[in-house]
Amino acid sequence: MAGFHLLSPYFLVSLKELYSKQRECSSDIGRRKNRQEVDLAQFCLDRGTILHELNHVVGFEHEHVRPDRDQYIEVIWDNFTSEEFKKEMYIVKDRKRWSVFNESYDLYSLMHYGPYAYGNGKITIRARDSYFQNIIGQGKGFSAKDIRKIRKMYNCLPDRPQDVIY
Ligand SMILES: [Zn+2]
């Protein structure tokens, strides 16, 4: 959480709107209704998963659906056991709609799924650089780029003029 503005009004609003139906780990992307629903079933109650879902709440998509993802990962379609996830992976998001805030593809992102996502033990996502194969889907906390993107989206860059003490 280093560097994350816990006291940002946006983050407090998100937490106030936290609401659990205890079915799965999921959230809408960005604010949709008056009350944002975040599903956190028992098996989702670890730090990484909660931060991942709250990062959806504040407006971020999965890293592996970026338009440039095929340069960094290979999707192994035949190994998916979930049609729903396959569908999600097919839809490579439109860059105009989902800003990447001028950050390059992030294999360390908390918003990146791991190698075995929806594969029932088989690899569904292969990092093109094998060094990253066990890094994708780290699930522990924000990467440096995750934090930079949050700061950019909410205009809380440390070097913005109002943060400078003269
Ligand atoms: Zn997610």
Side-chain angles (χ1 to χ4, degrees):
M1 295 292 280
F4 191 72
H5 282 196
L6 266 177
L7 293 178
S8 135
Y10 305 101
F11 197 74
L12 288 176
V13 166
S14 298
L15 282 178
K16 208 171 97 186
E17 293 169 352
L18 190 81
Y19 176 75
S20 177
K21 283 183 177 174
Q22 307 263 330
R23 290 175 314 193
E24 52 184 0
C25 325
S26 72
S27 165
D28 282 335
I29 312 290
R31 187 171 179 161
R32 297 289 174 94
K33 305 161 213 145
N34 289 330
R35 181 171 64 185
Q36 182 82 14
E37 296 188 3
V38 177
D39 287 351
L40 292 170
Q42 207 61 39
F43 63 88
C44 318
L45 296 178
D46 63 273
R47 180 179 184 272
T49 306
I50 293 169
L51 288 176
H52 174 107
E53 297 309 331
L54 290 178
N55 213 26
H56 282 317
V57 172
V58 298
F60 290 92
E61 251 290 1
H62 289 135
E63 190 71 3
H64 52 264
V65 298
R66 277 177 60 141
D68 56 350
R69 65 114 190 273
D70 291 334
Q71 294 172 44
Y72 302 91
I73 58 168
E74 180 193 354
V75 179
I76 307 176
W77 300 103
D78 290 345
N79 289 347
F80 284 114
T81 55
S82 159
E83 283 303 311
E84 198 183 332
F85 184 58
K86 208 168 169 178
K87 208 166 78 189
E88 191 200 319
M89 289 299 281
Y90 267 121
I91 303 164
V92 177
K93 304 292 184 186
D94 182 349
R95 191 184 290 275
K96 289 178 201 132
R97 198 169 157 217
W98 303 98
S99 177
V100 297
F101 295 97
N102 225 10
E103 295 288 347
S104 58
Y105 194 84
D106 186 11
L107 292 151
Y108 292 95
S109 176
L110 182 60
M111 305 313 282
H112 204 298
Y113 276 4
Y116 302 102
Y118 298 96
N120 198 21
K122 291 183 177 170
I123 287 182
T124 50
I125 301 176
R126 181 178 289 135
R128 296 208 181 271
D129 179 342
S130 61
Y131 174 81
F132 292 101
Q133 190 60 25
N134 293 319
I135 289 172
I136 55 171
Q138 46 94 354
K140 292 187 176 75
F142 292 126
S143 69
K145 284 180 193 172
D146 287 332
I147 290 171
R148 280 208 299 272
K149 285 194 276 189
I150 296 166
R151 286 179 177 277
K152 286 175 182 176
M153 182 182 271
Y154 289 97
N155 196 26
C156 51
L157 293 167
D159 58 350
R160 65 182 173 168
Q162 59 266 45
D163 279 347
V164 175
I165 298 167
Y166 292 99

